[in-house]
């Protein structure tokens, strides 16, 4: 049922503004994610994984200094943050943001309306939200709470996946969605991702620090990310090797141990 | 939003070290260099029905130091002859009548605390008394609409008297073009539950100085809400005193200042009786060059006010460059036997992370900003007891926002990239 979509990142270089001038973080990233594919990106802390995720989403803190990002051939870098989301990109954030006074239900409905270009039909929407929350074992009371305010770490991550399931993006980037989750929550979140893959042929770029989540979400490709670029690529077996050997064998200027 | 700095002030005497939040430190420094009359305890501030007790202010006095007094000469001079057009909607049982200044004082109203208020109390026309009888439980609000009627300065005095166990909402709406000093005196009976909502939606040229007082009855609940959106200079001072123990007062404010507007809110909760509670929450947004807001929240817990529970909070959201918000909480505590006392004050810009998060879900920037601002005000607006008034105020705030062309905070939506040619 689903059509084929492609996110293509080519030669991407990105810097951030620091007190001592711009600092280059991404040093030429090449990566293509297609519908139905799951790519795992693994790498030590500080290697630039979140920078990659934020840059594709258009966070204003990051300056793209070179390279291209396209979605189905459209220039993503020329789009505003909200245009990227409406084009079909989704970023599940490592640290979801609290928005006081804006209820989850209002937020979800506003986002859905923006992404679809029209308000969802009330009856089916209410049912869809309820079902999706039920699947993620979220208490219905969350709908009337302020976005992410007072949520536990696990609740925030489930809320990210809830949004992903309801907004039905083409390609989703999950930035350490597994970090800080206990096994039960990890399973619930993974089921959500797998549901979205089955339902709409979602393409997934799964950024993770641990191989644990790869037991529940099977990657087709594994990319090792060190020092702002991909240094090795392979299939699922590469993840197992990383589990055993760590990142030590990749020449890195970033201490891999700083977890 | 920035995180509030919460502190409990346990110093027993004066509070001249209270935090002041400025957006523009340079202006603040210049202002303090001009030198103010030293601050005294709020208990020593003049409060009197005698006009002579309040000489013409210079602008250096503690109670006037943020206010552009030079623009207010017409309201600070005796002999105002103008009037406002009144439209009232009175539920059954509620009556209005005109009473003399002496009769008004006889009802036990609080004395004026500045020159504008004392002149309003001394108004030659006397006062309009709105009477809510004892045990009346109004299902409809008392609505009073005051419209500007000409350029002559107005000194107006309204007295609201609510009997014991009465339950009522009184909405006073201000609109049009006027120069008015207004004294609104509320006296509530024991066990009553009275809410006064004062809405300022004046035209751009209006000058409005107001003192809104409540003497709150024993075991009574009182809520005052200021909503200030329109006017050139608007200053609404809300004061509370307790007639007996066990009472609960809530002072709320919502304001939105545009370029050229000075919107000032002061509150003074005089905890003069034991086991009373007060909550003060004011939230404001500012946009445009020279937009100016002031909040000064005084709380005095007197020696006899054991078991007091008080908290005050002010938050300001600065939407564009050039606007300035002052925020000054003053908490004086004269007894150690209190339940709780604290204050928080914070002024900040749009939170870029919040906007990014909302936009990353497809919500366009201007709509994301509306959501954030609406969310910012929601906990105060929620307390307004009338749905139609809540909606009207929310819509008015969004109208204000629609005119904003957000200068500095977050212009860079698409990431700049020098990538096309590689
Ligand atoms: N605003 C910033 N200023 C300075 N350095 C930054 C900034 N943002 C990120 N960095 C640096 O960029 C590098 C990559 O960070 P990040 O993308 O968060 O890595 P990861 O997600 O792989 O842990 C780190 O060294 C981090 O310290
Ligand atoms: Mg990261």
């Amino acid at each position: 049922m689903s059509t084929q979509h492609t996110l293509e990142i080519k030669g991407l270089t990105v810097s951030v503004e620091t007190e001592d001038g711009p600092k280059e973080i991404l040093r030429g990233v090449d990566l293509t994610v297609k519908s139905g594919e799951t790519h795992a990106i693994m790498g030590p802390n500080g290697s630039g994984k979140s920078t990659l995720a934020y840059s594709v989403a258009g966070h204003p803190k990051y300056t793209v200094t070179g390279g291209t990002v396209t979605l189905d051939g459209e220039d993503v870098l020329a789009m505003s943050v909200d245009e990227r989301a409406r084009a079909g990109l989704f970023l599940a954030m490592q640290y979801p943001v609290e928005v006081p006074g804006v209820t989850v239900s209002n937020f979800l409905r506003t986002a859905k309306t923006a992404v679809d270009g029209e308000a969802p039909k009330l009856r089916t929407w209410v049912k869809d939200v309820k079902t999706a929350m039920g699947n993620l074992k979220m208490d219905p009371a969350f709908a009337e709470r302020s976005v992410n305010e007072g949520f536990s770490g696990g609740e925030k991550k489930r809320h990210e996946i809830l949004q992903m399931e309801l907004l039905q993006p083409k390609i989703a980037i999950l930035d350490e969605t597994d970090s800080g989750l206990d096994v039960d929550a990890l399973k619930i979140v993974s089921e959500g991702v797998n549901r979205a893959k089955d339902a709409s042929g979602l393409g997934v770029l799964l950024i993770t620090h641990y191989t644990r989540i790869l037991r529940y979400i099977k990657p087709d490709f594994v990319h090792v990310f060190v020092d702002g670029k991909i240094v090795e690529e392979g299939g699922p077996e590469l993840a197992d090797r990383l589990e055993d050997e760590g990142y030590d064998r990749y020449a890195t200027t970033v201490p891999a141990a700083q977890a | 939003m920035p995180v509030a700095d919460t502190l409990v002030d346990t110093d027993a005497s004066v509070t001249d070290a209270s935090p002041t939040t400025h957006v523009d430190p340079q202006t603040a420094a210049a202002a303090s260099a001009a030198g103010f009359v030293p601050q005294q305890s709020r208990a020593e501030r003049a409060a009197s029905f005698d006009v002579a007790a309040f000489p013409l202010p210079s602008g250096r006095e503690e109670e006037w130091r943020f206010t552009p007094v030079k623009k207010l000469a017409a309201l600070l001079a005796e002999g105002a002859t103008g009037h406002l057009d009144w439209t009232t909607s009175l539920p059954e049982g509620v009556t209005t009548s005109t009473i003399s200044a002496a009769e008004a004082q006889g009802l036990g109203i609080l004395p004026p605390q500045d020159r504008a208020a004392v002149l309003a109390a001394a108004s030659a026309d006397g006062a309009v008394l709105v009477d809510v009888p004892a045990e009346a439980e109004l299902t409809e609000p008392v609505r009073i609409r005051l419209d500007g009627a000409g350029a002559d300065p107005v000194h107006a005095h309204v007295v609201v008297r609510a009997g014991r166990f009465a339950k009522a909402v009184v909405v006073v709406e201000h609109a049009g073009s006027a120069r008015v000093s207004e004294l609104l005196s509320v006296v509530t009976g024991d066990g009553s539950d009275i809410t006064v909502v004062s809405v300022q939606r004046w035209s751009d040229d209006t000058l409005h100085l107001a003192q809104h007082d409540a003497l709150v009855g024993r075991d009574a609940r009182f809520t005052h809400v200021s909503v200030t959106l329109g006017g050139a200079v608007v200053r609404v001072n809300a004061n509370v005193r307790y007639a007996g123990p066990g009472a609960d007062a809530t002072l709320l404010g919502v304001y939105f200042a545009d370029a050229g507007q000075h919107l000032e809110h002061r509150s003074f909760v005089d905890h003069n009786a034991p086991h009373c509670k007060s909550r003060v929450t004011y939230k404001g947004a500012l946009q445009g060059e020279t937009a100016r807001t002031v909040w000064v929240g005084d709380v005095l817990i007197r020696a006899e006010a054991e078991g007091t529970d008080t908290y005050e909070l002010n938050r300001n959201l600065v939407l564009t460059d050039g606007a300035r918000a002052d925020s000054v909480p003053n908490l004086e505590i004269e007894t150690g036997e209190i339940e709780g006392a604290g204050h928080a004050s914070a002024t900040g810009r749009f939170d870029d992370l919040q906007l990014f998060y909302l936009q990353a879900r497809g919500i366009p920037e201007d709509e994301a900003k509306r959501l954030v601002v609406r969310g910012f005000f929601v906990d105060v607006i929620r307390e307004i007891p009338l749905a139609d008034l809540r909606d009207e105020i929310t819509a008015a705030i969004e109208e204000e926002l629609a005119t904003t062309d957000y200068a500095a905070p977050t212009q860079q939506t698409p990431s700049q990239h020098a990538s096309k040619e590689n």
Side-chain angles (χ1 to χ4, degrees), chain A residues 16-18 23 25 44-51 61-62 94:
Chain A
V16 293
E17 213 45 59
T18 69
K23 173 182 169 193
I25 298 177
N45 264 336
S47 57
K49 304 182 298 294
S50 290
T51 302
K61 195 174 88 178
Y62 301 93
Q94 188 174 358

Side-chain angles (χ1 to χ4, degrees), chain A residues 23-258:
Chain A
K23 173 182 169 193
E24 186 168 66
I25 298 177
L26 298 190
R27 304 160 189 266
V29 177
D30 296 293
L31 186 63
T32 301
V33 181
K34 295 191 171 133
S35 292
E37 295 178 353
T38 298
H39 294 249
I41 291 194
M42 305 194 63
N45 264 336
S47 57
K49 304 182 298 294
S50 290
T51 302
L52 175 65
Y54 278 134
S55 301
V56 173
H59 193 295
K61 195 174 88 178
Y62 301 93
T63 307
V64 175
T65 51
T68 58
V69 179
T70 58
L71 179 63
D72 298 336
E74 298 286 330
D75 182 1
V76 168
L77 298 178
M79 300 177 196
S80 64
V81 175
D82 45 297
E83 282 167 349
R84 296 176 196 208
R86 293 200 296 275
L89 291 175
F90 183 89
L91 169 61
M93 293 187 207
Q94 188 174 358
Y95 304 107
V97 181
E98 298 182 3
V99 192
V102 178
T103 61
V104 166
S105 80
N106 184 20
F107 166 60
L108 293 175
R109 192 169 9 86
T110 307
K112 183 66 175 172
T113 304
V115 164
D116 285 5
E118 58 177 1
K121 289 213 177 55
L122 195 62
R123 289 241 318 268
T124 46
W125 174 245
V126 170
K127 204 174 111 245
D128 289 352
V129 172
K130 238 175 133 177
T131 308
M133 288 180 80
N135 286 339
L136 290 163
K137 311 251 182 321
M138 291 179 77
D139 187 326
F142 273 91
E144 293 316 313
R145 289 177 56 181
S146 290
V147 170
N148 293 324
E149 205 177 37
F151 288 23
S152 71
E155 286 161 353
K156 284 182 182 169
K157 297 299 176 75
R158 275 187 268 174
H159 181 223
E160 294 292 286
I161 300 304
L162 173 69
Q163 295 165 47
M164 187 187 77
E165 289 200 70
L166 290 169
L167 298 179
Q168 299 173 320
K170 295 167 182 158
I171 307 286
I173 303 174
L174 311 183
D175 189 4
E176 296 209 24
T177 300
D178 54 330
S179 294
L181 296 185
D182 61 28
V183 176
D184 290 338
L186 182 68
K187 282 184 189 163
I188 290 168
V189 158
S190 302
E191 280 164 20
V193 175
N194 290 328
R195 259 196 311 276
K197 284 170 62 175
D198 293 343
S200 61
L202 178 71
V204 177
L205 184 56
L206 184 74
I207 295 172
T208 179
H209 196 71
Y210 311 99
T211 50
R212 191 179 56 153
I213 193 173
L214 304 181
R215 280 179 229 152
Y216 305 102
I217 303 172
K218 293 281 170 232
D220 304 299
F221 307 93
V222 174
H223 312 264
V224 183
F225 205 83
V226 177
D227 248 356
K229 55 179 189 287
I230 292 167
V231 295
E232 189 169 2
E233 296 178 295
E237 73 290 344
L238 181 53
D240 299 331
R241 223 171 81 209
L242 287 171
E243 174 94 330
D244 297 338
E245 300 171 13
Y247 303 105
D248 289 349
R249 60 195 194 83
Y250 304 101
T252 164
T253 57
V254 186
Q258 60 160 75

